[in-house]
């Protein structure tokens, strides 16, 4: 099979915060994988820009260590060295003048210019302003910004306004790495590339949708930040909301950035406010080898949630009557992210009550073991009458397509290549982010006003009892976290 890797145009990518955790763990190892795959052109230039006083060689050594830790294994040394030779470094002060003329001098004519803001959001305005005052950013240059994109609607608006002073919307790439996952994109292919699903994709046939993002880790190392945020801001407002949009959106007229994002925005705007009765918050307790949430964040009175579960509805023709259940939490039984689209039972069972109740479910699994399965009901093989069982039909593409398809790129590497290509389809638009905050703000404000205290839950379990009740009350149940 012919290689599917299409090299991108020559580019200069500046990583502000090039010595930080994200750059070391995700961005540079991701670029390294694309280099190995042959997607980076020979003269691509990657420039780390941060406060530390490295020279180019010192930075290469520093990044070599990160590639060793977080990059692909068993790469021949000459390949690693070839990648590192394309790396440069500028010691820069985002808030001052230091380093900016050096950076300007390193930019090359005719290269796509992309600037990754892998720094605290408080620096975004300073970076945007200096990129312009030093004539480094051109009208077709791109900036990449990370979450958190604001803390609430007000701060997100202000951040959007700050960036808009220097960059137009088509230059701004707001990353949500969930959108870069292979399976998330495959979800769109399955929905809009097949006749099979779309006619059933509505409240007449779909009983409910459940979206789970479960983590086994606690807030380790991020306690200070996390305690000012919580699961609603850190996960629901962005990642879970994006997944919900892709499940619920109308088919866009074409697969282009604004057509897709217009449809996602309509979903967010059609979301009902969440009733306090349909909301559960939790905080994890201690386990034999880990402290509880409050000890972790060193705040014995913390009322921040490390878990949230909720039920919401989308008020439009397609979805009226189908609830969407969302849950996410830390220190749960397993690291598992999946979307389950659960269909209704058949209107009448010809096999009688002893056949039990069966529902088809389309399971889109993001991690671990990315893939899509469809639970179908069949006859249990063998003699003994008509006993029904549910079995998964595996649509895991990598296996079906064979080894020629190669390694599936990770979310960051795919998204960075999209930035260079100038494709914004998998990035959040400013109005989408604001609409998502407009929906989450009243929930968070309600917790603050009522001084709501999160329910404790067992570390290593599946969340607070109340979250199970949220489903049980509706005669439904969460899929097991495993
Ligand atoms: P970090 O604290 O590890 O690194 C911060 C970087 O910013 C360093 O390179 C530092 O030199 C640079 N910096 C700080 N002040 C500067 C200044 N005045 N001038 C120039 N450079 C300056 O942070 P991180 O974990 O890499 O996170 C970076 C951004 O990405 C943050 O906005 C964070 O919220 C976001 N993010 C990080 C992760 C992650 O996994 N680390 C995940 C999602 C989002």
């Amino acid at each position: 099979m012919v290689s599917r890797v299409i090299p991108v145009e020559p580019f200069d990518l500046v990583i502000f915060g090039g010595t930080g955790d994200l750059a070391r763990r995700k961005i540079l190892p991701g670029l390294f994988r694309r280099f190995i795959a042959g997607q980076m052109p020979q003269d691509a230039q990657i420039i780390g820009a941060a406060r530390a006083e490295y020279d180019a060689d010192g930075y290469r050594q520093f990044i070599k260590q990160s590639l060793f830790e977080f990059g692909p294994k068993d790469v021949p040394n000459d390949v690693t060295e070839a990648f590192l030779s394309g790396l440069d470094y500028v010691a820069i002060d985002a808030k001052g003048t230091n380093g900016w003329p050096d950076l300007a001098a390193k930019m090359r004519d005719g290269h796509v210019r992309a600037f990754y803001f892998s720094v605290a959001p408080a620096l975004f305005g300073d970076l945007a302003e200096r990129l312009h005052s030093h004539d480094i950013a051109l009208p077709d240059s791109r900036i990449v910004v990370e979450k958190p994109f604001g803390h609430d609607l007000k701060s997100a608006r202000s951040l959007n306004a700050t960036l808009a002073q220097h960059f137009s919307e088509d230059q701004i790439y707001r990353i949500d790495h969930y959108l870069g996952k292979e399976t998330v994109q495959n979800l769109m292919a399955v929905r809009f590339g097949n006749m099979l699903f779309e006619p059933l994709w509505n409240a007449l046939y779909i009983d409910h949708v459940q979206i789970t993002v479960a983590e086994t880790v606690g807030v380790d190392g991020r306690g200070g930040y996390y305690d000012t945020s919580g699961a609603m801001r850190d996960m629901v407002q962005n990642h879970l909301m994006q997944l919900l949009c892709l499940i619920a959106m109308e088919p866009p007229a074409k697969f282009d950035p604004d057509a897709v994002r217009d449809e996602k925005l309509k979903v967010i705007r059609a979301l009902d406010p969440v009733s306090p009765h349909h909301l559960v918050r939790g905080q994890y307790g201690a386990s034999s080898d880990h402290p509880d949430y409050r000890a972790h964040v060193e705040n014995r009175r913390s009322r921040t949630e490390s878990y949230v579960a909720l039920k919401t509805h989308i008020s439009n023709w397609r979805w009226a009557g189908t609830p969407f259940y969302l849950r996410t939490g830390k220190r749960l039984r397993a690291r598992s992210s999946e979307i389950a689209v659960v269909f209704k039972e058949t209107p009448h069972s010809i096999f009688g009550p002893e056949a039990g109740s069966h529902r088809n479910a389309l399971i889109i699994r993001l991690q671990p073991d990315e893939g899509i399965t469809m639970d179908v009901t069949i006859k249990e093989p063998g003699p003994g009458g008509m006993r029904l069982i549910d079995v998964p039909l595996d649509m895991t593409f990598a296996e079906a397509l064979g080894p020629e398809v190669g390694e599936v790129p990770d979310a960051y590497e795919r998204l960075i290549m999209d930035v260079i290509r100038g494709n914004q389809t998998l990035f959040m638009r400013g109005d989408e982010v604001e609409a998502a905050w407009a929906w989450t703000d009243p929930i968070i404000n309600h917790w603050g006003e009522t001084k709501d205290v999160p329910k404790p839950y067992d570390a290593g379990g599946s969340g607070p009892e109340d979250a199970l009740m949220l489903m049980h009350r509706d005669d439904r149940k969460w899929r097991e976290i495993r």
Side-chain angles (χ1 to χ4, degrees):
M1 187 181 282
V2 187
S3 165
R4 295 170 188 210
V5 174
I6 303 163
V8 294
E9 284 175 66
F11 64 86
D12 289 350
L13 170 66
V14 179
I15 307 171
F16 292 108
T19 59
D21 177 68
L22 185 68
R24 291 180 54 249
R25 279 192 312 113
K26 293 286 180 188
I27 305 173
L28 283 149
L31 286 162
F32 186 34
R33 283 193 202 93
R34 291 295 87 207
F35 177 82
I36 294 169
Q39 199 166 17
M40 294 202 356
Q42 282 291 323
D43 51 353
Q45 184 180 220
I46 300 165
I47 305 172
R51 273 189 306 198
E53 292 289 341
Y54 284 113
D55 59 16
D57 272 339
Y59 184 61
R60 288 180 193 131
Q61 286 314 308
F62 174 71
I63 293 304
K64 189 173 184 177
Q65 186 55 35
S66 309
L67 299 181
F68 187 66
E69 257 180 84
F70 306 110
K73 304 295 169 218
D74 303 324
V75 181
N77 195 43
D78 57 330
V79 176
T80 309
E81 291 301 332
F83 173 74
L84 291 171
S85 69
L87 248 61
D88 205 342
Y89 184 77
V90 183
I92 212 160
D93 181 5
K95 288 182 166 296
T97 50
N98 185 30
W100 290 95
D102 296 346
L103 181 60
K106 288 181 189 293
M107 305 308 290
R108 299 186 195 166
D109 289 340
H111 277 204
V112 170
R113 294 185 183 183
F115 305 96
Y116 202 126
F117 289 9
S118 183
V119 295
L123 297 178
F124 288 1
D126 294 301
L127 292 179
E129 196 267 313
R130 281 165 179 73
L131 282 172
H132 269 83
S133 60
H134 290 271
D135 292 328
I136 299 173
L138 305 175
D140 62 351
S141 298
R142 290 129 214 194
I143 58 169
V144 185
V145 293
E146 267 293 341
K147 83 166 196 185
F149 199 86
H151 191 70
D152 53 15
L153 178 58
K154 189 163 167 249
S155 55
R157 275 194 181 138
S158 143
L159 209 48
N160 274 335
T162 302
L163 296 179
Q165 283 176 13
H166 299 287
F167 293 95
S168 59
E169 183 61 36
D170 62 6
Q171 295 180 282
I172 304 172
Y173 290 71
R174 293 176 194 79
I175 275 207
D176 184 321
H177 68 273
Y178 272 56
L179 292 180
K181 288 181 181 288
E182 180 72 18
T183 307
V184 170
Q185 290 165 66
N186 205 25
L187 166 63
M188 286 190 272
V190 166
R191 272 197 68 189
F192 303 129
N194 294 286
M195 195 56 205
L196 186 60
F197 297 104
E198 203 51 28
L200 306 179
W201 209 259
N202 58 57
L204 284 180
Y205 297 99
I206 293 180
D207 179 73
H208 72 277
V209 175
Q210 37 179 295
I211 304 179
T212 300
V213 177
E215 298 176 283
T216 49
V217 292
V219 294
D220 318 45
R222 293 174 69 211
Y225 160 74
Y226 192 90
D227 204 40
T228 63
S229 173
M232 194 73 190
R233 288 190 172 99
D234 194 49
M235 297 298 289
V236 178
Q237 186 272 345
N238 38 58
H239 305 317
L240 279 82
M241 177 70 82
Q242 289 296 321
L243 299 180
L244 181 148
C245 285
L246 296 178
I247 289 286
M249 71 182 184
E250 294 301 313
K254 47 187 172 175
F255 190 61
D256 98 353
D258 277 329
V260 171
R261 296 184 303 175
D262 285 347
E263 295 306 337
K264 282 168 36 195
L265 179 63
K266 283 187 216 162
V267 173
I268 306 175
R269 290 194 172 148
L271 278 175
D272 282 356
V274 181
S275 148
H277 303 296
H278 297 155
L279 267 175
V280 178
R281 310 163 81 207
Q283 254 182 10
Y284 59 81
S287 62
S288 55
D289 48 352
H290 287 287
D292 67 4
Y293 175 84
R294 290 179 176 188
H296 240 151
V297 300
E298 295 175 13
N299 175 5
R300 284 317 309 172
R301 300 162 64 123
S302 171
R303 286 193 268 115
T304 303
E305 77 284 356
S306 61
Y307 177 100
V308 63
L310 61 88
K311 172 167 98 163
T312 185
H313 282 94
I314 301 171
S315 281
N316 62 19
W317 273 46
R318 185 186 285 266
W319 293 116
T322 295
F324 284 71
Y325 299 89
L326 275 49
R327 66 176 164 168
T328 180
K330 293 192 173 293
R331 275 261 181 281
L332 295 175
R333 181 176 300 142
R335 177 169 175 262
S336 155
S337 302
E338 65 168 39
I339 306 168
V341 178
V342 183
F343 288 81
K344 293 189 172 174
E345 286 182 48
T346 53
H348 163 70
S349 170
I350 65 168
F351 305 108
E354 59 281 4
S357 82
H358 297 271
R359 286 170 171 166
N360 299 126
L362 184 72
I363 314 297
I364 300 113
R365 204 165 164 82
L366 309 183
Q367 63 189 21
D369 312 324
E370 280 200 60
I372 300 182
T373 53
M374 177 87 210
D375 286 354
V376 291
T377 304
I378 61 164
K379 175 188 170 296
E380 195 175 358
M386 188 61 98
R387 289 190 307 269
L388 302 186
I389 52 164
D390 297 332
V391 293
L393 275 185
D394 196 338
M395 296 192 254
T396 306
F397 33 87
E399 274 171 33
L401 298 179
E404 303 91 341
V405 96
E407 218 173 284
V408 175
D410 124 309
Y412 271 94
E413 35 188 301
R414 178 194 310 270
L415 292 173
I416 297 170
M417 290 299 108
D418 277 359
V419 173
I420 307 300
R421 275 193 287 255
N423 185 343
Q424 287 184 304
T425 311
L426 301 175
F427 295 83
M428 293 178 294
R429 208 167 55 190
D431 51 4
E432 252 185 278
V433 175
E434 289 184 15
W437 280 121
W439 182 76
T440 34
D441 270 6
I443 299 173
I444 296 168
N445 293 344
H446 167 80
W447 288 332
E449 283 154 15
T450 56
K451 298 199 165 33
D452 184 74
V453 179
K455 304 275 186 303
Y457 63 93
D458 292 341
S462 53
E465 193 64 23
D466 288 23
L468 303 182
M469 290 310 297
L470 183 73
M471 280 276 206
H472 282 178
R473 278 202 304 264
D474 296 345
D475 212 14
R476 300 186 174 103
K477 65 175 201 264
W478 292 107
R479 285 171 53 82
E480 233 178 89
I481 295 176
R482 60 194 156 80

